[in-house]
Amino acid sequence: MAKKKNAVESVTLQCEGCKSRNYSKIKNKKKNTEKIELKKYCRKERKHTIHKEIK
């Protein structure tokens, strides 16, 4: 039998300032079609910055 495709996928969040990939998050593709953008703590910059979803 064929496998079903999952509605959830794991995405990586990248810091806008230093471009480091700090966080990973699980996202439901059917409910959230736009890219995730969160304000998270960056250890390299030692402050809260915007982190955007990348593939």
Side-chain angles (χ1 to χ4, degrees), residues 3-17:
K3 245 184 162 181
K4 286 186 179 180
K5 289 189 177 181
N6 290 336
V8 294
E9 70 176 354
S10 179
V11 295
T12 306
L13 300 177
Q14 182 179 22
C15 177
E16 285 293 301

Side-chain angles (χ1 to χ4, degrees), residues 21-36:
R21 297 174 182 183
N22 297 331
Y23 295 97
S24 63
K25 189 162 180 73
I26 295 175
K27 171 183 158 180
N28 189 336
K29 292 188 288 186
K30 290 184 179 179
K31 290 184 179 180
N32 300 329
T33 55
E34 65 276 349
K35 291 195 173 195
I36 297 175

Side-chain angles (χ1 to χ4, degrees), residues 39-53:
K39 194 167 188 179
K40 303 284 272 180
Y41 183 77
C42 179
R43 287 177 265 141
K44 287 187 178 178
E45 293 189 10
R46 295 182 180 170
K47 61 182 179 180
H48 284 85
T49 58
I50 301 291
H51 285 70
K52 290 188 178 181
E53 171 189 339

